[in-house]
Amino acid sequence: MPKSQVRKKKVYTPPTDVRPAATAATRKPSPIWLPVTAVSLIVFGIGWLVVYYLSEQEYPVMELGYWNLAVGFGAMVGSLILLSRWR
């Protein structure tokens, strides 16, 4: 079996002047209200949709009609946006 060749190039090291200014260790952790609000929005959105479907589109607000779906899904999307900022 032939012997493998020895590597002659040096291993790449990135330049030191291009490193990011803020590292993950220097960033502050998220405030406590952020995950609490996000979980509350998820529960609110799911609860809104469940009540809407189980009441045969009469509750929570009958005048909104299908916009009740937008309220429920909007709350859940809002919670996802909040959770994307959680550290």
Side-chain angles (χ1 to χ4, degrees):
M1 184 175 238
K3 184 179 175 187
S4 63
Q5 300 217 356
V6 178
R7 185 176 182 158
K8 295 178 184 176
K9 290 173 45 173
K10 288 188 174 184
V11 177
Y12 174 76
T13 55
T16 58
D17 59 338
V18 187
R19 294 188 186 207
T23 61
T26 60
R27 297 168 90 185
K28 295 179 186 176
S30 298
I32 191 68
W33 62 266
L34 195 135
V36 171
T37 306
V39 170
S40 300
L41 279 173
I42 290 173
V43 170
F44 172 76
I46 292 173
W48 189 281
L49 292 174
V50 167
V51 168
Y52 177 69
Y53 277 116
L54 291 181
S55 69
E56 298 175 355
Q57 291 93 19
E58 289 186 25
Y59 298 107
V61 181
M62 187 175 180
E63 289 81 25
L64 288 179
Y66 286 113
W67 284 101
N68 281 307
L69 296 174
V71 172
F73 284 115
M76 290 190 289
V77 167
S79 70
L80 289 176
I81 292 170
L82 280 176
L83 287 174
S84 70
R85 301 185 187 286
W86 187 22
R87 285 182 244 135

